[in-house]
Amino acid sequence: MSIHSTSSIQHDVINFPINEKIFLEGLAGTGKTTVGIERMLHLMSSGIPGNSILVFVPQRTLGTPYLAALNSPGVVAGGIPSIVTISGLAQHMIDLFWPSVAKDAGFSFPEAPPSFLTLETAQYYMAHIISPLLKEGMFSSVTILRNRIYSQIIDNLNKAAIVGFSYKQIGARLKSAWSGEPGQSKVYEDAQACAILFRDYCLKHNLLDFSLQIDLFWNQLWSFELCRNYLINTYKHLIIENVEEDVPVTHDSFSEWLPLAESALVIFDSEAGYRRFLGADPIGAYKLKKLCSKTIKFIDSYVTSPEIKSLTDHLSATILHTSMPHSKNDLRPAISFETHTYYPQMLDWITKEIVTLVKDEGVLPKDIVVLAPFLSDSLRFSIINRLELNQIPVKTHRPSRSLREEPVTLCLLTLAALAHPEWGFVPSKFDVAQSLMQAIDGLDLIRAKILTDIVYRVRDGIPRLNTFGQIIPSTQERITFHLGEKYDHLRLWLEEYHQSSPADLDHFISMLFGEVLSQPGYGFHLNNVMSQVAANLIQSIRKFRKVAGKSIDEARIPLGKEYIDMVHDGVIAAQYIPSWQIQEQEAVFIAPAYTFLINNYPVEIQFWMDVGNRSWAERMFQPLTHPYVLSRNWIDKKIWTDVEEVKAGDQVLYALVLGLLNRCRRKIYLGISEFNEQGYEQRGPLLQAFHRVLQATAVD
């Protein structure tokens, strides 16, 4: 059974003998994932039980095409293949074999079940442990937000686990590569101390963050004969997708698993490894090639036009400082650009071009992406606002965006604070006005501020909302009686809820959404994006209660109060799959460039914003960690110098540009501004690379 049309070379790979072990490599867009999906279906239609097939992906979103294929009509009935990440596999094995390994792993209560932490709950416990130390002056020389301190310490632990070294060596590794100010060594020592405190706390309370899950799987379960035999005998057919984006421990396990499997398909995306900052190891992944009986390389792209291919070749040569290629295809039709002095002018031009593409040329919104190296809140708001004013549907996603930065989250938690004054939160007038603007359809910021200034009062530390009827008639008319009616209904619902028996925070939000906010006249009505954020928030609260509920109850603290405190502390949201599934929606996608790459699908048109920004080629400032020094390929005791920084920047830019262009069918639009958001002039390496390419093309 086939659900994709395939070329002859794809068809040959799909129909290789069942017992073949295949290493398939090629650039993005050459049809590798299609082969992976069809190979899975071919195995099933050939009589292989689906539950003996393991599809292994580096990130859950990359398993979406496989899940979609399994849900297609006509798929052979029977067992379902398992589609997992290294974390999912580790959790499953820990659940099955916990009693056998918990004591040896050092857990204080091996007879009690473990609690798996999400990114959010891991940050919660990290904050609980090190907040007192921060108040005493730890990390006083580090000028980053608290949530970034938490996440970078967690990242250090994750790197130790996935690379395979002891978490007690983190500080020593970082210090051995440092050659700058002596004070930075103290920062690394403090980061090491916090990592040890966190690990000790997890072992004492049966908590398993990602790093401890991987550590337990690799150091305990994989070497445990019963567990290892269970995996090898259960999953005899392996499909390993985007192996270059996975981590060293994954490659180690498959280097021992592949020789024992009955069949395998290892898919390697050439010139990728976009998740290096998360521990991806393309070098280690490529070593799996020698364990396969057949090696196939796809060359021809099913995505890029000849003009885009020519642009790719010229840009690659420029970034890597090699000679310009000779191409019979003119790259200029693949580029459109306009240079502007100021940032807002660039955004206006991008908006105008998108409107022309959608309304005049018939390009579907979902075939357009707007990308930037980093997506700040101001940039995100500015471009979304411009597109929405032109009736262009838009969808955005930024994985590093904290929960409190979502307007919908702020709205729901502010209303929760008003409904639970006993929690001791006193929302600011600004937050209340923003919440009312989100909650009531048609209420703009000016009228929301006027309404809030009049009805919102704090007496004896207790916030409350007064009735719309107390406002003088002229102001009522300015706000409008229709909006006033909606406000009063919301206020009355909150008041009646408070007088009844208050529920848990997730139940409160569910009731508020169902009974008020999703109804006609309110902001969530028929708004799928806001509804999805609300659903994610409810899911986040439920996971928080599952992990931390018992200890919070013992401390006699309301769970809702503790959760809101955590959000106010800037905790970064965990990944929720529906938020990533954007290609199915008829909307322009706005995201950081790496988010689009990891989502892994092609589009017709790409807009690259702020091309002059140096961040296209620079790694994020992380004073407590270092993705290259903590990688398996770093030489011990070697010093990280400016030379390594420049080389890494060139490689990052090359991989990023290649990845984006290989996922573009038709055209790239370059948004160029002489001055950035802060008003500084910018001439980054990506802009310089385009200048050199265009100059060479003009000479030709």
Side-chain angles (χ1 to χ4, degrees), residues 674-686:
E674 293 182 17
F675 298 95
N676 63 14
E677 286 182 279
Q678 291 75 36
Y680 295 106
E681 191 174 5
Q682 50 186 10
R683 290 288 186 272
L686 180 57

Side-chain angles (χ1 to χ4, degrees), residues 404-475:
R404 69 180 179 185
E405 292 172 334
E406 284 287 356
V408 174
T409 300
L410 176 65
C411 166
L412 294 171
L413 296 185
T414 299
L415 294 177
L418 294 173
H420 300 85
E422 66 276 8
W423 290 351
F425 296 112
V426 180
S428 66
K429 282 190 174 183
F430 176 81
D431 286 348
V432 173
Q434 289 284 335
S435 300
L436 292 176
M437 186 176 70
Q438 291 285 326
I440 300 172
D441 187 29
L443 182 63
D444 57 65
L445 182 58
I446 294 174
R447 285 185 287 186
K449 185 178 184 307
I450 293 171
L451 179 62
T452 302
D453 286 341
I454 298 172
V455 301
Y456 181 55
R457 292 288 181 267
V458 180
R459 294 177 184 172
D460 300 325
I462 299 176
R464 60 168 297 167
L465 296 172
N466 292 324
T467 66
F468 185 73
Q470 295 179 1
I471 302 175
I472 60 174
S474 60
T475 305

Side-chain angles (χ1 to χ4, degrees), residues 635-654:
I635 300 171
D636 191 30
K637 306 295 184 184
K638 183 180 178 181
I639 301 297
W640 181 266
T641 65
D642 289 343
V643 174
E644 277 72 33
E645 193 74 57
V646 171
K647 286 181 180 178
D650 286 346
Q651 185 59 43
V652 164
L653 184 59
Y654 168 70

Side-chain angles (χ1 to χ4, degrees), residues 354 358 363-370 387-388 391-396 529 581-590 601 603 605:
I354 292 175
V358 173
V363 178
L364 296 176
K366 72 174 183 178
D367 284 328
I368 301 173
V369 295
V370 182
L387 291 172
E388 288 180 341
Q391 290 79 50
I392 301 294
V394 61
K395 169 74 177 177
T396 182
V529 174
Q581 293 171 343
I582 48 82
Q583 62 267 43
E584 300 300 325
Q585 298 186 17
E586 286 290 342
V588 174
F589 184 43
I590 302 172
Y601 71 99
V603 293
I605 305 293

Side-chain angles (χ1 to χ4, degrees), residues 313-314 316-318 320-326:
D313 294 340
H314 280 78
S316 299
T318 301
L320 297 178
H321 310 291
T322 59
S323 59
M324 285 287 185
H326 296 286

